[in-house]
Amino acid sequence: MSFCSFFGGEPSSLILYPSGIYVCSKCDHQLFSSRSKYEHSSPWPAFTETIQEDSVSKHEERPGAYKVRCGKCGNGLGHEFVNDGPTKGLSRF
């Protein structure tokens, strides 16, 4: 998952704690481990998996692009793009 906006920058929705856990900037819900972060062609953070199955919710905004929100408070986190990831064919967490 790459966190980026279709129309420009989104406000920072993630906070990284010293423990290596990324949390939602609005409600502190645990979202991602820094171990699942990978280098991406965009300047936005990108992750291969969430901390828990319900860490985020997603809904399709257009074919191949999903809006990703915090699973607890609904804060907008960015987008997930199908077939975008560190290995070919990675499309979801």
Side-chain angles (χ1 to χ4, degrees):
M1 159 180 288
S2 168
F3 286 90
C4 57
S5 172
F6 289 141
F7 307 110
E10 291 182 344
S12 178
S13 301
L14 303 174
I15 297 171
L16 174 61
Y17 282 150
S19 63
I21 302 296
Y22 286 86
V23 300
C24 174
S25 64
K26 289 196 176 186
C27 73
D28 243 16
H29 187 55
Q30 292 187 354
L31 303 170
F32 308 99
S33 166
S34 60
R35 291 185 303 243
S36 69
K37 187 175 179 188
Y38 66 93
E39 292 297 320
H40 190 264
S41 60
S42 78
W44 303 97
F47 304 90
T48 56
E49 61 187 3
T50 59
I51 294 278
Q52 299 173 0
E53 205 170 299
D54 65 349
S55 291
V56 301
S57 65
K58 300 183 274 187
H59 76 273
E60 190 172 29
E61 280 195 332
R62 67 179 194 192
Y66 294 84
K67 179 65 180 173
V68 179
R69 298 187 177 278
C70 172
K72 183 176 180 182
C73 74
N75 183 28
L77 301 173
H79 293 87
E80 176 182 8
F81 298 97
V82 174
N83 293 323
D84 179 27
T87 59
K88 186 177 179 182
L90 178 69
S91 61
R92 300 178 193 257
F93 302 111

